[in-house]
Structures are given as structure tokens and as C-alpha cells.
Amino acid sequence: MTDDVATFWRDIVSWLETNTPCEIVRIRPPASDASIAEIESAIGHPVPDSMRQWWQLTDGVTQVGTPVIPPRFAPLPCAMALQEMQLRLSIMTDEPIIPNDGSIDTAGESTHRFHHLFLPIAEDNSGDLICIDLRSGHLQGCLILWDHEGGWHDAFLWTNVAAMLEDVRNAMRDGTPALSAYAIRHARYFAGYDIEHVAWKADVSPSMELSWKSERVEVPDVE
């Protein structure tokens, strides 16, 4: 797994250096062991190996508007990840707990409440987050999209950080649309609703900035 994370990230950085040099200068140096340990102490849970390895390669980016992760997310430094988690938990203290919500402690199950085992790792300009779901269950470590207004009511994005980096690498290097597998899970989650399902292709603007363009995904019929 260590070699996989390092390889995927090296390939992503190489692509950025070649295609979007303005983005590469915003990538921060590795996080310190102390910074990662501070997060683990705050959440009372180890950081997944693939996330630890990624932070040991880079401590996020210097500004939110650097969308390394599709469709619009910038990787968070350790300090900002901890701040975002604490902020969302402080907001949740004012919301009532729904009794008998069996999903609240199961990884991969959607919930309107921000859980203390949701670890933010990327943010967009609107306040939405990509989080690692560290709750117990066979999907522990999966990545979810937390909407700052509605919570999380969807399928998971990727099974883990390594899978995310591989997907991003493939989208940049090979042109394979990222989040194609999620689009199918998304279709199953919203079966019966008239919702478009999309994946994302890496795009470079004339000013050599990275963006992600949506591409419609044809999904099999689901019930």
C-alpha cells in the first residue's frame, strides 16, 4: 500500500508539473508526525495507513481553489483538517439526535449528522468536504461527500485514499473519467429518481489551470 500511494501521488505530481505548473507550486511539503498524531489524539482513532502515507508525502495545498480531487476539492493540510472537523462537530451540538438511527455508527451508511469519526481531507470553495468515514464496519475508511447544508445522503465516493489517488491519476494520465464507479453506486442509491449520473475528466484551461469537466455516464437499469 505504501508503494501504491507513493506511485499514484508521484504520477499526479508529474502530470501537474507538465500540464498545470501554477497548481504544482501550491502543493505543501510533507506533514510532520506530530501533526498527524494531533489528529489521531483528537479523534481517538488511528489515521488510515493510506491517508498517513499521503500526508507524509504532502500536507495538502496552500489554497482551497486548487481542485486536485474531482470535481472541485483541494486536499487539506493536517491543521485545517482538524479545524474543519471541530467546526462541524460544534455545529452539530445544537441539532437534535434522531432516536434509533441505526446508521449513525456504521461506516458507509448515510446520516444527516456530522460524526466524530468523519475525518475531513479535502474541501471546496462552498464549504463541502470529502471525509474519511472511520466508523466501524466493512466500509471503514471509505470516502464520502459531506454537504455543508444537507449532510451525507448518497453512496460513498471511493473505498479508501489509495483508490482515490489511483482514480485521479488514471483520469489525468490516461483520460479515464474519475468517479465512474461511484456514478453506478450513485444510480443505485437514487434508483427511481430522474437524476443525471456523471464522471469527471481532467481539463486544462488556456491559463494552464486544472479543472474537471463532467461526462454523462450510462448506467445499467437499477431497481
Side-chain angles (χ1 to χ4, degrees):
M1 183 67 75
T2 301
D3 291 342
D4 287 346
V5 169
T7 297
F8 300 150
W9 183 241
R10 181 194 64 218
D11 291 345
I12 290 169
V13 169
S14 177
W15 187 91
L16 292 172
E17 287 175 336
T18 300
N19 296 277
T20 61
C22 61
E23 311 287 12
I24 198 70
V25 299
R26 298 169 181 160
I27 295 176
R28 293 165 56 92
S32 68
D33 290 341
S35 296
I36 299 173
E38 184 178 5
I39 290 179
E40 292 179 323
S41 176
I43 62 179
H45 194 285
V47 170
D49 287 344
S50 58
M51 187 66 237
R52 177 187 300 277
Q53 291 151 16
W54 191 26
W55 267 329
Q56 288 174 336
L57 294 168
T58 176
D59 190 19
V61 297
T62 59
Q63 64 184 71
V64 172
T66 306
V68 176
I69 308 302
R72 58 188 183 276
F73 289 88
L76 286 171
C78 289
M80 289 186 64
L82 187 56
Q83 290 173 12
E84 287 293 342
M85 181 187 69
Q86 293 170 337
L87 173 62
R88 305 312 164 103
L89 288 173
S90 69
I91 294 172
M92 287 295 121
T93 58
D94 297 327
E95 292 196 6
I97 297 176
I98 299 176
N100 301 321
D101 181 3
S103 70
I104 199 167
D105 288 319
T106 304
E109 294 291 336
S110 62
T111 174
H112 79 291
R113 292 183 58 82
F114 193 88
H115 198 278
H116 72 279
L117 289 177
F118 287 168
L119 173 60
I121 65 165
E123 181 185 16
D124 71 356
N125 279 315
S126 70
D128 294 343
L129 301 169
I130 292 178
C131 298
I132 303 176
D133 186 349
L134 295 174
R135 295 174 297 175
S136 61
H138 73 282
L139 285 175
Q140 185 181 66
C142 70
L143 274 61
I144 67 170
L145 173 58
W146 179 263
D147 183 282
H148 70 285
E149 294 182 340
W152 177 43
H153 297 283
D154 201 345
F156 66 90
L157 300 174
W158 294 280
T159 53
N160 53 48
V161 169
M164 176 188 72
L165 294 177
E166 181 179 20
D167 200 29
V168 172
R169 186 275 304 270
N170 292 345
M172 290 176 170
R173 188 187 66 178
D174 306 328
T176 307
L179 287 167
S180 296
Y182 158 73
I184 296 174
R185 291 191 293 270
H186 177 79
R188 289 172 178 160
Y189 190 92
F190 290 103
Y193 292 86
D194 185 17
I195 298 175
E196 187 176 51
H197 312 293
V198 300
W200 300 89
K201 298 193 74 170
D203 185 67
V204 179
S205 73
S207 58
M208 301 186 77
E209 293 181 308
L210 172 65
S211 65
W212 295 90
K213 288 193 172 181
S214 62
E215 179 176 281
R216 193 171 187 274
V217 176
E218 295 295 334
V219 298
D221 291 336
V222 293
E223 297 180 358

